[in-house]
Amino acid sequence: MGLGPVTDINESPPATRLAAPDPRGGGVSLDLAVVGLGYVGLTTAAALAAWGHRVWGMDRDPRRVRTLVEGTAAGLDPDLDLLVRSELAGGRLRLGTDLGPAAGAAAVFVAVPTPAGPSGRPDLSALWAVAGGLEQLEPPPRIVVIRSTVPVGTGDDLARRLGRLALPPAVISNPEFLREGTALRDFRHPHRVVIGAADPEAAAVLASIYRSTGAPVILTDRPTAELVKYASNAYLAMRVSFANELADYAARAGLDVAGVLRAAGMDPRIGLHYLGPGLGFGGPCLPKDLDALRWAFRRQGLRPRLLDAARQVNRERVRSTVSQLQDALGGLGGRAVAVWGLAFKGGTADARQSPAVALVRALVSSGARVTAYDPAAGPVRGWPRQACRAADLYSAAKGAHALVIATDWPEFGRADLERVRSLLEGDLILDARRLLSPAAVQAAGLKYAGPGYPPPGGPLTAAR
Ligand SMILES: NC(=O)c1ccc[n+]([C@@H]2O[C@H](COP(=O)([O-])OP(=O)(O)OC[C@H]3O[C@@H](n4cnc5c(N)ncnc54)[C@H](O)[C@@H]3O)[C@@H](O)[C@H]2O)c1
């Protein structure tokens, strides 16, 4: 596959910024390095190695590197685990905690965390720590590629800092758009590759590295590339909050919002993605990126009204789910509640910033006895000690007064509802992700509730 069309999105860019990717770059095996071996970095490192490059992957966490080198599944994505193992075995991918082997690399890809501080301002300390390490390399890499999500101006700041070196590397802002659970597929088949660069030759080298994706390449300046990433995630977050706000109205008006959104989303101007009612968005990216953009607005003296509203609507989802359950059960004190799902979405083990975990905490604070099950999530940070974990979905349901579906794992949608009915002490399923068919739940002799689903004949009351 060749390069997709190249678009320059600057209205009147300086001539030096326009670069057609160099087709001779494709097919050449380069010495590359990736710093930070989490979801983005490990995917980047393994995929670059599979494209035939020699890749040095570096992470500051020795346990993480050891786990990967020993071939233990990283638990991020089964396809990715397999690829990492085969690239390590083939010798194209090597891993360690030392940045030294990145000296003289054609490009170093930086994929370290950029978590939000209390004000939303991203903490860039990991990026600056990497910059300090890059300054020590002799010779320095020729290109530094920022894959982390960083505020507008960060790439320029890094270029100024590295510009003091005798042989300054070109700095490129190249945001990543992959989704957890489908990381490898998304990396190999992106919808677009955004390259924010001041150096046309460096941009051409990077474009040629991505040539086998066949994706359209967007050449622009660094700050624009950085804002593209925040614009994308903030927009997705707004869609989720829109669906949830509409869900509240629909249920009050006696309508099922699921059908409304499906019909609206069939319009290609709207689309169906990120348009389902539920517990709200979570995970390590959407909340922090929305907060970072809100912080950036305020820094410019602007009030991000839509973005603030999207955040507020999202914050209320867990609370309103707990209230719904409280009303249905006549209080939560001493009630047994089964929770299916802890990951922030189906298809990943990641429970960071998960609304499902926030729900467990809120239920425990309201006095409920919670037993949760998730097919992939490991130990959860901030887990309330009063809550229990079950080994499978049916053991979690055993003896519960109500069952809440908190993560959209496909296997929950295929659950044996007759069996669930026989195990539950009560008769309510609160399908907070709208995974099940209400009719199927009712046919199994259970009561169904969910966001945007109207309670039949007025407020829902479960058997107590
Ligand atoms: N996870 C996603 O779906 C996703 C998608 C697109 C963009 N991003 C962005 O990519 C960046 C990385 O995210 P992630 O989810 O891969 O993070 P992660 O937390 O999964 O992994 C980051 C890794 O970087 C390592 N690290 C931290 N400081 C380091 C340092 N100074 N030197 C070397 N290694 C260091 C950590 O040990 C960890 O293994 C973030 O800015 C994130 O917003 C994430």
Side-chain angles (χ1 to χ4, degrees):
M1 223 184 293
L3 267 175
V6 177
T7 312
D8 192 300
I9 56 173
N10 297 331
E11 270 181 13
S12 47
T16 53
R17 292 200 172 177
L18 267 170
D22 177 4
R24 287 166 306 169
V28 173
S29 177
L30 300 170
D31 284 312
L32 303 173
V34 178
V35 183
L37 299 172
Y39 281 87
V40 171
L42 189 64
T43 308
T44 305
L48 291 173
W51 285 342
H53 301 291
R54 293 173 297 276
V55 181
W56 174 249
M58 180 270 179
D59 198 290
R60 70 165 182 193
D61 178 355
R63 268 182 317 168
R64 175 137 191 85
V65 172
R66 205 167 38 246
T67 315
L68 293 168
V69 170
E70 283 168 2
T72 317
L76 304 181
D77 174 339
D79 294 340
L80 178 59
D81 289 339
L82 273 179
L83 187 67
V84 169
R85 270 198 288 269
S86 79
E87 291 308 321
L88 282 170
R92 274 192 297 252
L93 177 62
R94 292 176 308 128
L95 306 176
T97 52
D98 179 13
L99 196 55
V108 174
F109 295 75
V110 183
V112 293
T114 48
S119 64
R121 178 188 194 141
D123 173 358
L124 299 179
S125 52
L127 180 77
W128 297 125
V130 175
L134 293 173
E135 283 168 337
Q136 306 303 315
L137 294 180
E138 193 54 55
R142 274 164 281 157
I143 303 175
V144 175
V145 183
I146 306 178
R147 305 241 67 204
S148 299
T149 304
V150 293
V152 167
T154 307
D156 286 357
D157 288 345
L158 182 62
R160 263 190 297 278
R161 177 167 168 175
L162 298 180
R164 293 187 218 121
L165 296 174
L167 272 176
V171 173
I172 297 185
S173 294
N174 169 224
E176 174 56 68
F177 299 96
L178 62 76
R179 295 159 300 170
E180 290 184 19
T182 51
L184 195 54
R185 194 170 69 215
D186 292 348
F187 184 91
R188 287 170 156 170
H189 306 288
H191 294 109
R192 73 291 202 204
V193 171
V194 179
I195 295 181
D199 176 335
E201 277 177 32
V205 170
L206 187 59
S208 68
I209 289 174
Y210 288 121
R211 87 194 293 266
S212 68
T213 67
V217 173
I218 292 164
L219 291 182
T220 185
D221 53 70
R222 285 183 294 245
T224 305
E226 289 157 352
L227 187 54
V228 171
K229 174 66 189 181
Y230 284 111
S232 305
N233 273 2
Y235 177 69
L236 294 175
M238 284 198 310
R239 282 175 68 98
V240 174
S241 283
F242 171 73
N244 282 327
E245 185 149 272
L246 196 71
D248 290 344
Y249 165 73
R252 193 61 70 86
L255 303 168
D256 183 351
V257 82
V260 174
L261 290 170
R262 234 185 344 265
M266 285 170 76
D267 182 331
R269 291 172 303 174
I270 298 172
L272 290 161
H273 292 297
Y274 290 80
L275 203 62
L279 257 190
F281 56 82
C285 290
L286 252 49
K288 90 160 166 61
D289 292 350
L290 180 64
D291 286 350
L293 189 56
R294 292 167 62 226
W295 165 80
F297 266 64
R298 293 208 169 83
R299 229 172 143 220
Q300 295 291 345
L302 298 169
R303 196 156 67 82
R305 288 156 296 180
L306 281 173
L307 305 182
D308 283 350
R311 195 64 164 118
Q312 188 56 31
V313 168
N314 200 57
R315 274 201 197 102
E316 287 160 11
R317 295 321 290 173
V318 167
R319 212 178 312 140
S320 66
T321 306
V322 172
S323 308
Q324 198 178 0
L325 204 56
Q326 213 150 19
D327 292 347
L329 295 178
L332 285 169
R335 296 281 167 178
V337 179
V339 175
W340 282 1
L342 293 172
F344 80 90
K345 65 173 185 178
T348 177
D350 198 344
R352 290 179 284 180
Q353 306 272 322
S354 170
V357 175
L359 177 78
V360 169
R361 278 200 287 265
L363 289 171
V364 166
S365 313
S366 306
R369 291 181 290 118
V370 176
T371 305
Y373 166 71
D374 188 281
V380 171
R381 191 177 292 180
W383 183 253
R385 58 186 165 73
Q386 302 92 324
C388 304
R389 299 275 297 261
D392 65 79
L393 64 174
Y394 299 108
S395 338
K398 196 159 183 245
H401 295 103
L403 164 65
V404 185
I405 300 182
T407 303
D408 55 347
W409 279 105
E411 69 174 86
F412 299 161
R414 298 189 294 267
D416 177 347
L417 295 172
E418 300 286 345
R419 189 168 168 201
V420 171
R421 173 75 190 100
S422 70
L423 290 167
L424 285 179
E425 174 73 28
D427 65 354
L428 175 66
I429 294 188
L430 203 171
D431 179 9
R433 294 291 184 180
R434 298 300 307 264
L435 261 188
L436 304 177
S437 140
V441 172
Q442 287 150 4
L446 291 159
K447 291 199 173 89
Y448 181 91
Y453 187 77
L460 186 88
T461 313
R464 293 178 186 169

